């Protein structure tokens, strides 16, 4: 709320932006995938919230931007995720120029993952959720943790830790069960052909 932000002093600004960061961090640290379904505009904090999510789906009319510099403040907190999502040059253009981009450009630069088609947002979101539900829950939680680790740790450290997580997931029994079912289905298809 720009009206609220206009009345902030230094201490109030620190409290305001810290609370917003904590909300974004809560989304990114949930142990399950979080999807941002964006209809309309995602500017400033709205885009930072979307960036904190694991997957981003938008409607064709969606617009994205970081106009803070035009209001006398820098883009901060989860705007720091933008270089990882879209590269440093594009991130700099978003936060320094303060211009908005449409859904097609946002998808082209990696800011969003999908644009809802003719089926609409509800159906597109349902399809993404259905795809996530096909995954083994423990493997999906491990994958989300790995994605965060890949972003935060040096490459060699992330690869070494990934090996341990890969081995540990076998304790659940899910890999043997799911791979066994896959192989049985493939064998049945080949036997029919």
């Amino acid at each position: 709320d720009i009206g609220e932000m206009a009345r902030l002093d230094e201490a109030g600004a620190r409290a305001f932006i810290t609370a917003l960061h904590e909300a974004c961090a809560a989304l990114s640290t949930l142990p399950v995938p979080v999807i941002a379904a964006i209809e309309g505009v995602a500017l400033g904090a709205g885009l930072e919230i979307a960036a904190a999510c694991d997957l981003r789906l938008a409607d064709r009319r969606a617009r994205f931007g970081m106009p803070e510099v035009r209001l006398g403040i820098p883009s901060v907190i989860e705007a720091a995720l933008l270089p990882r999502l879209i590269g440093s040059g594009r991130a700099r253009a978003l936060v320094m120029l303060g211009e908005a981009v449409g859904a097609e450009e946002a998808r082209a630069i990696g800011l969003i993952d999908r644009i809802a088609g003719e089926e609409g947002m509800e159906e597109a979101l349902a399809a993404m959720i259905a795809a996530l539900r096909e995954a083994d829950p423990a493997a999906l939680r491990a994958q989300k943790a790995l994605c965060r680790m890949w972003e935060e740790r040096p490459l060699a450290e992330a690869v070494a830790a990934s090996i341990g997580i890969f081995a540990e997931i076998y304790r659940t029994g899910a890999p043997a069960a799911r791979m066994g079912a896959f192989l049985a289905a493939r064998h049945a298809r080949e036997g029919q052909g």
Side-chain angles (χ1 to χ4, degrees):
D1 180 351
I2 295 174
E4 178 185 348
M5 292 172 63
R7 295 187 300 272
L8 295 174
D9 60 10
E10 184 178 350
R14 183 177 304 279
F16 174 87
I17 204 66
T18 299
L20 180 56
H21 164 65
E22 289 169 353
C24 291
L27 293 172
S28 67
T29 59
L30 282 173
V32 296
V34 178
I35 302 171
I38 304 145
E39 296 180 286
V41 297
L43 300 175
L47 182 50
E48 289 175 301
I49 290 168
C53 295
D54 300 298
L55 301 165
R56 285 158 294 285
L57 168 69
D59 69 13
R60 293 204 173 279
R61 300 175 326 262
R63 305 236 351 120
F64 304 86
M66 300 297 290
E68 288 88 338
V69 293
R70 293 180 177 197
L71 299 172
I73 56 175
S75 296
V76 295
I77 59 170
E78 273 59 27
L81 297 171
L82 295 175
R84 291 182 178 113
L85 288 173
I86 63 175
S88 8
R90 290 182 176 124
R92 285 179 183 175
L94 268 181
V95 300
M96 291 182 176
L97 298 175
E99 298 171 345
V101 298
E104 289 294 338
E105 184 175 350
R107 182 176 59 183
I109 65 173
L111 191 57
I112 60 173
D113 304 297
R114 294 189 180 167
I115 298 174
E118 297 296 321
E119 78 277 12
M121 283 293 284
E122 291 297 322
E123 292 81 6
L125 183 57
M128 288 180 85
I129 292 169
L132 290 170
R133 285 186 173 158
E134 289 179 18
D136 176 73
L140 196 53
R141 283 190 301 276
Q143 192 64 71
K144 179 168 178 168
L146 283 166
C147 287
R148 284 186 51 84
M149 182 192 327
W150 296 339
E151 293 171 351
E152 296 171 356
R153 293 188 187 177
L155 180 60
E157 183 182 327
V159 169
S162 296
I163 292 168
I165 291 170
F166 179 84
E168 288 171 19
I169 202 74
Y170 275 81
R171 273 193 245 147
T172 68
R178 285 182 173 252
M179 288 181 213
F182 171 82
L183 292 171
R186 183 170 75 183
H187 180 68
R189 281 191 311 274
E190 291 170 355
Q192 293 176 354

